[in-house]
Amino acid sequence: MVDTFNTTTLSRLVAGRPETFPHEYAIRFLQFRTWLLFPGENESEIVDAVGKLAAATVLKDHEVEQHPPRVWRLGNRKDPRSKILANLLKDDEYCRVYDVFFGRSGWTDLLDTLSFNELHKIIQDRRPELHTVCEMIDFRFRGVDHGQLTPKQADITASELHVFKLTKLSWRTVRKRWGNLKASAPFIYASEKLGYDFLPPAFADGEFKIDQTNRSKIRRFMEASVYVADKIGWKLFDDDAWMNEFKTLKPKQPQTQRLEPATLEIMGANYRADVAKMRNS
């Protein structure tokens, strides 16, 4: 997990504690939703960019609210924008958001930040990988949760073979997609297969709305994700501090169907030979 939306922030959101700056939970949760698609350490730039663009949207809306656009006369030698900014930086609500995201380098940080169009393309390029990872987790989780497979049987190799037979993707492609998303895989599964729909927006319109966070839905989402991860023996967090932050969460079993008999056939007598064939693909 990257520092831009740490576990303390999310745990405060779930517990309903006060925000440390205006719109903190809405911005951090949007970053969390983006992290679901980009959990790699080398992808933290994407999560950081979402935070800065979200903060800029909040500040722009606040500016318009406090200083509605005016028509300035030609020949006015004073720069009205600089005067407005000076006044805004004296505004506590504005200043607290600004300091968190732009306090070190100012608005120039946005010059080195991914644009809305770049974010949109990056997200669209990643989306095809979701189906692969969801199917891998679905096979493992439902098989174990309904007692059709032992945890040892429902390992990553078996789930790779399931997807290989289901989609005809090469083993290298399956492995690459799993590598890209394995850190957030149970969260993605809960979002896509269990109906929480927590993936980020497409950012296609050049701006986005900062939605209010639904704490009860987030809590249910986290509880379902933790249950899925525990069932397949997958450690969601690299640091035990994560679970200390969310110790009040109670893993909750989601309602799912048993695996179809045809799906379980891959575990039959030809399993080893099929795995070897997959790995040579």
Side-chain angles (χ1 to χ4, degrees):
M1 185 62 65
V2 299
D3 291 338
T4 44
F5 57 93
N6 56 46
T7 58
T8 302
T9 300
L10 286 175
S11 66
R12 283 203 306 266
L13 190 160
V14 171
R17 297 172 192 160
E19 295 180 312
T20 59
F21 61 87
H23 304 286
E24 176 187 15
Y25 294 146
I27 295 173
R28 294 310 194 196
F29 188 60
L30 181 58
Q31 287 183 291
F32 176 73
R33 293 166 62 193
T34 305
W35 174 83
L36 297 180
L37 289 179
F38 306 99
E41 291 184 5
N42 62 334
E43 296 173 320
S44 61
E45 175 191 6
I46 299 169
V47 177
D48 184 61
V50 168
K52 288 177 179 176
L53 291 174
T57 298
V58 165
L59 293 175
K60 182 184 71 174
D61 291 345
H62 185 80
E63 177 183 341
V64 171
E65 181 181 333
Q66 298 297 318
H67 298 273
R70 296 173 58 184
V71 177
W72 294 85
R73 292 178 300 173
L74 292 175
N76 189 336
R77 294 184 179 182
K78 290 186 176 181
D79 180 4
R81 304 305 306 166
S82 62
K83 183 177 180 180
I84 289 175
L85 180 58
N87 288 333
L88 285 169
L89 291 176
K90 297 176 184 178
D91 182 310
D92 180 66
E93 180 175 341
Y94 187 97
C95 194
R96 286 162 64 198
V97 177
Y98 181 91
D99 284 347
V100 170
F101 293 93
F102 306 106
R104 293 183 179 180
S105 304
W107 288 113
T108 55
D109 267 1
L110 287 175
L111 296 175
D112 298 321
T113 299
L114 293 169
S115 68
F116 285 106
N117 287 338
E118 288 170 327
L119 278 174
H120 176 67
K121 184 178 186 307
I122 290 170
I123 288 174
Q124 293 305 104
D125 288 346
R126 178 55 58 92
R127 283 185 180 275
E129 301 183 17
L130 299 178
H131 177 70
T132 300
V133 172
C134 280
E135 287 297 335
M136 291 177 70
I137 293 291
D138 190 56
F139 175 82
R140 299 176 67 189
F141 171 66
R142 287 201 288 151
V144 173
D145 199 43
H146 290 282
Q148 297 169 284
L149 297 171
T150 66
K152 186 176 181 179
Q153 288 175 315
D155 60 8
I156 293 176
T157 299
S159 66
E160 289 173 345
L161 182 60
H162 165 66
V163 171
F164 176 74
K165 286 180 170 288
L166 183 70
T167 66
K168 306 304 181 183
L169 293 170
S170 71
W171 180 59
R172 289 174 182 253
T173 298
V174 174
R175 291 284 287 181
K176 181 179 179 180
R177 291 182 175 185
W178 173 252
N180 286 341
L181 294 169
K182 64 181 180 180
S184 59
F187 290 126
I188 291 174
Y189 178 74
S191 173
E192 299 301 280
K193 289 285 191 177
L194 302 181
Y196 287 95
D197 190 24
F198 273 164
L199 293 186
F203 303 117
D205 297 328
E207 61 180 70
F208 48 84
K209 180 181 178 182
I210 305 298
D211 296 319
Q212 294 298 316
T213 50
N214 184 329
R215 288 196 299 107
S216 61
K217 184 178 179 181
I218 293 170
R219 186 179 186 88
R220 294 194 302 272
F221 168 75
M222 297 294 291
E223 289 174 342
S225 299
V226 170
Y227 181 91
V228 170
D230 286 349
K231 203 68 179 180
I232 63 175
W234 187 253
K235 189 174 181 180
L236 266 182
F237 314 117
D238 292 333
D239 191 338
D240 289 337
W242 260 97
M243 289 314 298
N244 290 333
E245 292 287 351
F246 292 102
K247 59 187 176 183
T248 62
L249 293 176
K250 297 180 180 179
K252 185 174 181 180
Q253 182 182 26
Q255 297 297 314
T256 60
Q257 299 294 320
R258 292 169 60 86
L259 291 177
E260 297 77 8
T263 301
L264 288 171
E265 287 179 2
I266 70 165
M267 307 301 296
N270 295 326
Y271 176 74
R272 291 183 179 276
D274 287 343
V275 168
K277 179 181 179 181
M278 172 186 72
R279 290 177 173 171
N280 288 326
S281 67

